[in-house]
Amino acid sequence: MPMTASTVLRGLAAALCLGTLAVGGPAQAQVSDDVVKIGVLTDMSGQWADMNGPGSLLAAQMAAADFGGKVLGKPIEIIGADHLHKADVGVGIARRWIENEQVDAISDVTNSAIALAIQDLTREKNRVALFSSPGSTDLTGKKCSPTSVQWVYDNYSNAVGPIKALIDKGNDTFFIVTADFAFGHSLEKIATEAITADGSKVVGTVRHPFGANDLSAFLLPAQASGAKVIMLATAGKDMTTAIKQASEFGITEGGQILTAPVMFISDVHALGLDTAQGISFIEGFYWDQNDETRAFAKRFFEERKAMPTALQAGVYSSVMHYLKSIDAAGTDEAKAVSAKMRELPVNDFFAKNGKVREDGRMVHDMLLVQVKKPSESKEPWDYYNILATIPGDRAFLPLAKSECPLVQK
């Protein structure tokens, strides 16, 4: 058959049509290495293991199972590892996962210093980072990445609200006891800016090493300072140790207020209501908030014999949203999936009408809670009174103030 102009045009049209279908159609869905593999990198054995650790791994496994065990017809695999709170260990595991074990996304990452290093690695290797636990605002600020998200909280959301509430009640002098690593430094910086912006004063700061068994040397200067508020810019067992020792020293009995911005239900459980009662802070999730949260928590409790923390619930939510985004994008390629994560709303037991912004911050409502008195608690793990719901657009740093270079100004 002779090749005519009309034949060529018909051939080109058919090719273009097929090409369009190849790009957008489900028949061409692509999953690298025929498996979607998610690595949960967390504190499995250290002082943050209760609020993350095995519970975070379980939450990711629950999300994969609830999704159906497959995405785009390919199996979902969840693996986990302990970073031991050492950046070289954490990055080494992540690099091995990506280069040798075909891991597509890294979840949780309980340490801000390690998370910042993981963010650099996943950006370089074109993988997705699903940060549930680290608090540093640099993750969605000046060091943001197009392939990472910060899901549950950050140091801005948990520090600014309580500080403003305290200042509004006439508490205008603060002493800050800070964990001496990236998370604590970030929290101290944000808190100081929030305090001084209102004309109040930070009368002193002191930094303690990670994993300190005795924090008396850091609490005594805070007590002696006469500051109306002592802020614990720390977390995990360091924080619970500080609260216990503050009680022993009679700090609150002496009239000073103790505030712990980054506190979780596992910390309250470890302290007991007798010690923790009356402390208020910001939470991203509470198991007894509604029927949906209770249903998830019941399933989680059956496996862990503990109620989920906000961080563990956030692992479930972020992994589920990641899988939904793979399905919607038709590929597990990191940039395409990350773009879809920013496009799709987050609607689950963890967040209603949540939104992943262009800087990677997942914006959702937060809760201002206060620990109940023992007489108010009606059952095990009945620990919080919810004082207020803080809308997401007020809880997190406004996008207009973001230092993320990805944000269009």
Side-chain angles (χ1 to χ4, degrees):
M1 179 178 179
M3 184 69 69
T4 66
S6 60
T7 303
V8 173
L9 288 173
R10 285 195 298 271
L12 286 172
L16 285 171
C17 183
L18 288 171
T20 301
L21 291 172
V23 171
Q28 294 297 317
Q30 294 184 358
V31 172
S32 57
D33 307 297
D34 289 329
V35 63
V36 172
K37 188 178 289 190
I38 302 167
V40 180
L41 187 60
T42 188
D43 178 355
M44 291 289 190
S45 57
Q47 64 159 299
W48 292 355
D50 288 342
M51 66 188 193
N52 300 105
S56 290
L57 181 59
L58 171 62
Q61 291 168 335
M62 289 174 65
D66 288 351
F67 197 80
K70 290 184 177 182
V71 58
L72 298 178
K74 304 298 182 181
I76 304 163
E77 184 177 347
I78 308 292
I79 61 175
D82 191 340
H83 55 47
L84 304 176
H85 287 284
K86 297 178 180 179
D88 58 339
V89 173
V91 173
I93 292 169
R95 187 175 294 278
R96 185 187 74 242
W97 277 353
I98 292 169
E99 295 180 352
N100 300 334
E101 300 180 34
Q102 293 77 50
V103 164
D104 301 291
I106 296 177
S107 172
D108 200 13
V109 195
T110 32
N111 180 302
S112 288
I114 298 174
L116 288 164
I118 295 298
Q119 178 140 289
D120 288 341
L121 179 65
T122 52
R123 183 194 294 111
E124 172 195 341
K125 298 293 185 179
N126 195 35
R127 296 295 190 275
V128 172
L130 308 169
F131 295 123
S132 173
S133 306
S136 174
T137 53
D138 283 348
L139 289 167
T140 54
K142 58 187 177 182
K143 295 187 178 180
C144 68
S145 167
T147 62
S148 74
V149 293
Q150 193 173 17
W151 208 256
V152 177
Y153 80 110
D154 58 36
N155 288 339
Y156 181 95
S157 69
N158 283 38
V160 174
I163 286 170
K164 288 183 176 179
L166 287 165
I167 291 173
D168 287 344
K169 293 181 179 180
N171 301 293
D172 56 0
T173 54
F174 290 71
F175 191 103
I176 305 177
V177 180
T178 304
D180 193 12
F181 63 102
F183 155 76
H185 299 171
S186 170
L187 185 53
E188 179 188 301
K189 178 177 181 292
I190 291 166
T192 299
E193 290 172 352
I195 292 164
T196 56
D198 285 327
S200 299
K201 295 180 180 179
V202 177
V203 299
T205 61
V206 65
R207 292 180 173 180
H208 71 80
F210 179 76
N213 293 321
D214 184 0
L215 290 171
S216 58
F218 307 97
L219 289 170
L220 291 174
Q223 185 178 32
S225 73
K228 294 179 181 179
V229 179
I230 298 173
M231 176 179 165
L232 302 176
T234 186
K237 290 183 180 177
D238 284 337
M239 183 196 61
T240 57
T241 296
I243 291 173
K244 289 176 183 177
Q245 292 188 322
S247 178
E248 293 168 4
F249 298 155
I251 286 178
T252 53
E253 289 180 8
Q256 290 175 295
I257 296 170
L258 202 65
T259 183
V262 184
M263 195 168 185
F264 300 98
I265 199 168
S266 54
D267 303 315
V268 177
H269 188 72
L271 287 165
L273 293 182
D274 283 333
T275 301
Q277 61 180 306
I279 296 177
S280 60
F281 50 96
I282 302 295
E283 266 280 30
F285 164 89
Y286 181 42
W287 73 269
D288 200 20
Q289 188 177 359
N290 55 50
D291 289 344
E292 285 184 276
T293 58
R294 285 187 285 271
F296 169 75
K298 180 181 178 182
R299 295 169 53 213
F300 185 94
F301 188 88
E302 287 173 355
E303 295 292 331
R304 286 288 299 158
K305 307 308 177 190
M307 287 300 178
T309 64
L311 305 179
Q312 292 159 344
V315 168
Y316 179 103
S317 178
S318 60
V319 168
M320 182 63 77
H321 191 69
Y322 170 67
L323 295 173
K324 289 178 180 178
S325 298
I326 291 175
D327 190 59
T331 177
D332 65 350
E333 192 276 323
K335 288 187 175 65
V337 175
S338 296
K340 192 61 68 172
M341 291 184 75
R342 286 155 170 78
E343 177 186 328
L344 298 177
V346 181
N347 277 303
D348 57 17
F349 69 83
F350 181 83
K352 296 301 179 189
N353 299 313
K355 170 68 177 176
V356 181
R357 300 189 314 202
E358 57 197 283
D359 61 353
R361 171 72 262 162
M362 201 280 273
V363 176
H364 58 97
D365 295 348
M366 300 287 281
L367 305 172
L368 177 62
V369 303
Q370 185 175 50
V371 180
K372 290 183 173 182
K373 298 176 182 178
S375 60
E376 295 175 317
S377 180
K378 298 178 181 178
E379 61 178 312
W381 298 90
D382 176 23
Y383 292 160
Y384 294 167
N385 286 315
I386 298 176
L387 303 181
T389 298
I390 304 172
D393 58 359
R394 288 177 48 206
F396 296 97
L397 182 74
L399 190 61
K401 295 184 178 180
S402 175
E403 295 181 278
C404 173
L406 301 173
V407 175
Q408 299 296 319
K409 298 295 186 179

